[in-house]
């Protein structure tokens, strides 16, 4: 729910962009806010080594520190997205707390948000966009799963996992959502628009559609069965169910304040 004292005069909208959740549409919408420049933090696709991703993550955190350093009631709103080749929530835990404290200390609001999707449709969407198609059996293998898992991307982005137990990953992800995210959405971009405009006072605009897959994708029964088994074994199914159970009232997380 939107607090009674909204809209607020100033703050930072922090969007953690999970691939194939409609995030490019959300980014375009945020980037279209008049007189508010989106600070984008993800690096080019050729930066895939652990060292490159560390460099990219540190660069984003420095840019984020600079963005927040200039926030004040006189400067209005700032927006930012975290996407590929940045720290996941496990590594950015302390930074998220520091950024929120810095913004709120000057009387502004830190609004963090994320979008999730049905895990099976998310799997199909990611797989259909892969330039070098791997089979479902290859992708479903645990060593490749971070490429296609919402749960793993939320926790680690593209870095190696430090926890592989699915129950522990789900619990950690739910804890980090509760700790750091004000609004969690599940397949509901209209609610994202409604909530963000209500919180900020921005003029309401429809969200553009971007980066959608328009072709046909065919899978066998065995492949669908393998997907479902893999999603369950990795924790994605339980994570999606936990998110829906806790946050899906009108597909929107009521503010934790």
């Amino acid at each position: 729910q939107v607090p009674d004292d909204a809209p607020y005069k100033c703050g930072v909208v922090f969007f953690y962009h999970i691939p194939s959740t409609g995030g490019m549409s959300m980014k375009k919408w945020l980037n279209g806010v008049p007189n508010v420049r989106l600070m984008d933090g993800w690096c080019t696709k050729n930066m895939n080594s652990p060292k490159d991703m560390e460099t990219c993550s540190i660069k984003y955190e420095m840019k984020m520190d600079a963005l927040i350093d200039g926030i004040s009631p006189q400067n209005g709103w700032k927006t930012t997205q975290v996407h590929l080749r940045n720290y996941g929530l496990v590594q950015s835990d302390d930074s998220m707390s520091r950024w929120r404290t810095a913004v709120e200390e000057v009387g502004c609001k830190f609004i963090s948000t994320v979008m999730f999707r049905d895990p099976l449709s998310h799997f199909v969407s990611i797989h259909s966009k892969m330039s070098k198609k791997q089979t479902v059996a290859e992708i479903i293998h645990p060593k490749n799963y971070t490429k296609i898992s919402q749960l793993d991307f939320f926790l680690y982005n593209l870095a190696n996992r430090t926890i592989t137990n699915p129950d522990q990953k789900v619990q950690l992800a739910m804890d980090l959502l509760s700790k750091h995210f004000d609004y969690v959405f599940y397949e509901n971009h209209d609610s994202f628009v409604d909530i963000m405009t209500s919180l900020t006072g921005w003029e309401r605009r429809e969200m553009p559609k971007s980066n959608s897959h328009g072709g046909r994708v065919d899978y066998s029964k065995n492949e669908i069965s393998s997907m479902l088994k893999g999603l369950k074994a990795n924790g994605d199914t339980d994570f999606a169910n936990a998110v829906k159970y806790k946050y899906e009232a009108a597909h929107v997380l009521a503010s934790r304040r």
Side-chain angles (χ1 to χ4, degrees), residues 16 87-95 151-157 160 162-163 172-173 176 180:
Y16 191 85
Y87 287 140
L89 267 293
V90 170
Q91 289 179 285
S92 61
D93 187 5
D94 291 341
S95 295
L151 172 58
D152 287 356
F153 190 88
F154 177 72
L155 291 175
Y156 302 111
N157 205 285
N160 293 328
T162 57
I163 298 174
L172 178 58
L176 289 169
H180 293 303

Side-chain angles (χ1 to χ4, degrees), residues 113-250:
T113 184
V114 62
M115 177 76 69
F116 294 105
R117 181 177 181 177
D118 171 77
L120 181 59
S121 66
H122 179 262
F123 186 112
V124 170
S125 177
I126 290 278
H127 188 239
S128 68
K129 294 173 185 175
M130 287 181 170
S131 56
K132 293 182 179 179
K133 285 286 176 63
Q134 292 175 280
T135 67
V136 170
E138 289 171 331
I139 286 294
I140 219 71
H141 191 281
K143 72 176 182 180
N144 293 323
Y145 215 91
T146 52
K147 298 177 181 178
I148 210 158
S149 166
Q150 291 180 98
L151 172 58
D152 287 356
F153 190 88
F154 177 72
L155 291 175
Y156 302 111
N157 205 285
L158 298 183
N160 293 328
R161 294 172 292 178
T162 57
I163 298 174
T164 57
N165 179 280
D167 294 335
Q168 292 177 6
K169 287 195 298 183
V170 171
Q171 185 60 59
L172 178 58
M174 295 304 293
D175 289 345
L176 289 169
L177 278 175
S178 295
K179 182 178 182 181
H180 293 303
F181 284 81
D182 302 283
Y183 293 92
V184 176
F185 299 88
Y186 191 90
E187 297 189 343
N188 198 323
H189 297 81
D190 288 339
S191 289
F192 173 86
V193 170
D194 291 340
I195 293 292
M196 292 303 118
T197 53
S198 296
L199 290 168
T200 61
W202 298 334
E203 181 180 354
R204 194 187 192 287
R205 296 168 293 111
E206 295 300 315
M207 183 176 292
K209 294 187 185 294
S210 178
N211 204 26
S212 60
H213 185 272
R216 178 187 173 101
V217 182
D218 295 314
Y219 293 101
S220 68
K221 279 188 176 182
N222 286 339
E223 287 177 322
I224 295 294
S225 178
S226 294
M227 292 179 200
L228 292 171
K229 288 177 181 177
L231 290 164
K232 177 66 176 177
N234 192 64
D236 282 86
T237 301
D238 289 343
F239 178 57
N241 288 337
V243 168
K244 287 192 291 183
Y245 180 79
K246 185 172 183 179
Y247 298 131
E248 200 190 20

Side-chain angles (χ1 to χ4, degrees), residues 15 17-28 81 115 189:
F15 167 46
H17 176 176
I18 294 174
S20 287
T21 58
M24 287 302 293
S25 297
M26 296 166 75
K27 175 195 170 181
K28 284 189 174 182
Q81 80 150 352
M115 177 76 69
H189 297 81

